[in-house]
């Protein structure tokens, strides 16, 4: 019998690990019998396994360095943020007709005509954007006051009340806009607005 190098528990000399605390009692490479708890074998210099290392080794897993977990977490966060802030088809397909119209007006008010056109049906993009540029003053602020919706299957009509500042060239505020939308491949797109 001999005492454990870590906890002092008596056990048979031929055991490599303590029955009570699991501490390594001899070097697994050269067989040197440890006299005190150590991080490295004084005979050959090989690292002595911690209890955590022993469990991982017995389970057949490799210990993954911390930096790998950190890099993985950063990569996952970047992907989530990219998906959240992008106008991908995935997120547009989750939008309601109201969200599509709100996003369109927000992009349009910010002067992002190319981004605003992402919410328009492909048949009306070019003609509508040129006509809308003449209706709304440059750098105008557009605020939606109210939206009323009628929907039937893949078609929706929205009666949208908006305030535009400075006021539009041909109308006073609030402006009543009728937006007609169609769901195409899961996305709501504006195909007419008057």
């Amino acid at each position: 019998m001999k005492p454990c190098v870590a906890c002092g528990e008596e056990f048979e000399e031929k055991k490599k690990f303590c029955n009570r605390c699991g501490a390594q009692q001899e070097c697994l490479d050269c067989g040197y019998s440890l006299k005190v708890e150590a991080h490295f074998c004084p005979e050959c210099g090989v690292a002595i396994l911690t209890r955590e290392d022993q469990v991982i080794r017995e389970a057949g897993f490799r210990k993954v360095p911390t930096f790998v977990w950190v890099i993985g977490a950063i990569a996952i966060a970047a992907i989530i943020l990219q998906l959240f802030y992008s106008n991908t088809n995935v997120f547009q397909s989750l939008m309601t007709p109201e969200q599509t119209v709100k996003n369109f007006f927000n992009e349009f008010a910010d002067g992002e005509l190319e981004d605003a056109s992402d919410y328009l049906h492909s048949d009306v993009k070019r003609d509508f954007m040129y006509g809308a540029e003449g209706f709304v003053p440059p750098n105008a602020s557009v605020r939606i006051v109210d939206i009323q919706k009628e929907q039937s299957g893949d078609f929706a009509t929205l009666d949208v009340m908006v305030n535009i500042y400075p006021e539009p060239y041909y109308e006073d505020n609030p402006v009543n806009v009728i937006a007609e939308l169609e769901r195409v491949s899961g996305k709501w797109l504006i195909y007419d607005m008057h």
Side-chain angles (χ1 to χ4, degrees):
M1 302 288 282
K2 75 172 193 173
C4 170
V5 296
C7 70
E9 178 77 15
E10 294 280 328
F11 65 93
E12 295 177 31
E13 278 193 45
K14 61 183 177 181
K15 300 267 183 174
K16 294 181 183 182
F17 298 96
C18 173
N19 293 337
R20 181 173 179 221
C21 72
Q24 189 173 333
Q25 303 299 307
E26 69 177 50
C27 177
L28 298 179
D29 274 13
C30 70
Y32 179 81
S33 183
L34 299 171
K35 309 293 186 254
V36 293
E37 190 173 17
H39 294 290
F40 298 95
C41 174
E43 188 68 27
C44 69
V46 169
I48 303 298
L49 297 177
T50 65
R51 182 151 175 78
E52 178 186 67
D53 291 333
Q54 293 170 27
V55 170
I56 291 170
R57 185 177 186 184
E58 288 169 11
F61 296 112
R62 282 188 29 215
K63 189 173 180 180
V64 179
T66 305
F67 76 91
V68 173
W69 289 106
V70 171
I71 291 171
I74 291 170
I76 290 170
I79 290 168
I80 290 170
L81 285 173
Q82 175 65 28
L83 288 173
F84 183 75
Y85 286 109
S86 69
N87 288 327
T88 61
N89 291 341
V90 173
F91 285 98
Q92 283 187 353
S93 67
L94 299 175
M95 288 187 200
T96 63
E98 295 91 340
Q99 289 169 317
T100 298
V101 169
K102 286 177 185 178
N103 289 347
F104 169 79
F105 277 116
N106 287 337
E107 297 290 356
F108 191 80
D110 290 342
E112 302 295 336
L113 300 183
E114 197 62 40
D115 292 338
S117 70
D118 289 343
Y119 300 100
L120 298 175
H121 195 282
S122 59
D123 294 343
V124 297
K125 280 185 182 184
R126 190 171 298 141
D127 295 339
F128 179 81
M129 292 308 286
Y130 290 127
E133 284 177 346
F135 175 72
V136 179
N139 301 320
S141 72
V142 180
R143 187 174 64 84
I144 296 175
V145 178
D146 186 41
I147 296 180
Q148 300 294 320
K149 176 180 79 170
E150 291 180 25
Q151 183 176 339
S152 176
D154 288 340
F155 294 92
T157 302
L158 275 62
D159 187 349
V160 186
M161 297 297 288
V162 294
N163 281 330
I164 302 173
Y165 296 102
E167 290 189 348
Y169 299 131
Y170 302 109
E171 293 192 36
D172 295 326
N173 280 320
V175 176
N176 186 10
V177 177
I178 305 296
E180 297 179 27
L181 294 90
E182 179 183 8
R183 188 172 16 213
V184 179
S185 301
K187 294 187 328 184
W188 285 101
L189 298 172
I190 300 166
Y191 68 85
D192 195 12
M193 192 176 282
H194 46 88

